Amino acid sequence: MTIQGALTILMYALAPFLWLIVAGLGLLVTIQLIARVRGYRAFTYRCLGANLAALAVGLSGLWWIPAFTSSRLAYVATAFDWVALIGAVLGLAIAAWLVLHPLSYLLRGRQSQLLATKQKLP
C-alpha cells in the first residue's frame, strides 16, 4: 500500500469525527488564549488536581477508545495494536492536561494568588 492510499483510508476514517476534532481544538485554543491573557504560565502554575484529572481521563481511554471504535480490549492482540492504543491514551491525557490545567488556573488561580499575597502582608 502506498502512502497516498494509507492517507486516503485515514481521511475516510476521520471524516465522521472531523467536527468533533475541530470542536475540541477550538476549545483547547480558546481556553489557552484566555488563560495566557490573564497571566497563566504552564510551568510556573501548579495544580495537582488538574494533573490527576488529566491522568484519569487518559486512563479512561483504555475503556472507551475500543468501545468508540466498535471493538474490544480483548481484540488488541499484536504489539502494533498496543502501541497504537497506548499512543491514543497518551495523546488523550496530554490533550486533557492542555485543557484542564489552564482551566483550573482560570477557576482558582487568582484566588490562590490573592491568598498568597495576603499572607505576605504584615
Side-chain angles (χ1 to χ4, degrees):
M1 177 180 286
T2 65
I3 292 176
Q4 184 178 4
L7 290 176
T8 302
I9 292 171
L10 182 64
M11 193 58 205
Y12 279 115
L14 290 178
F17 307 108
L18 199 55
W19 68 273
L20 191 59
I21 293 169
V22 170
L25 188 61
L27 177 71
L28 182 130
V29 169
T30 302
I31 289 176
Q32 285 283 336
L33 284 175
I34 292 171
R36 298 246 180 223
V37 166
R38 295 190 179 179
Y40 167 73
R41 298 294 174 257
F43 297 113
T44 57
Y45 175 69
R46 306 266 188 252
C47 182
L48 182 63
N51 295 342
L52 292 176
L55 183 63
V57 168
L59 289 176
S60 75
L62 288 172
W63 173 73
W64 66 266
I65 289 174
F68 195 67
T69 58
S70 301
S71 182
R72 290 187 190 169
L73 197 56
Y75 294 159
V76 181
T78 65
F80 181 78
D81 293 340
W82 278 107
V83 168
L85 184 61
I86 290 171
V89 166
L90 286 175
L92 183 63
I94 290 170
W97 186 83
L98 286 173
V99 170
L100 294 175
H101 198 254
L103 189 62
S104 71
Y105 175 82
L106 289 173
L107 295 177
R108 68 180 208 105
R110 293 257 192 220
Q111 295 170 356
S112 62
Q113 287 177 353
L114 291 174
L115 182 63
T117 305
K118 286 181 183 178
Q119 289 176 350
K120 289 181 183 177
L121 294 175

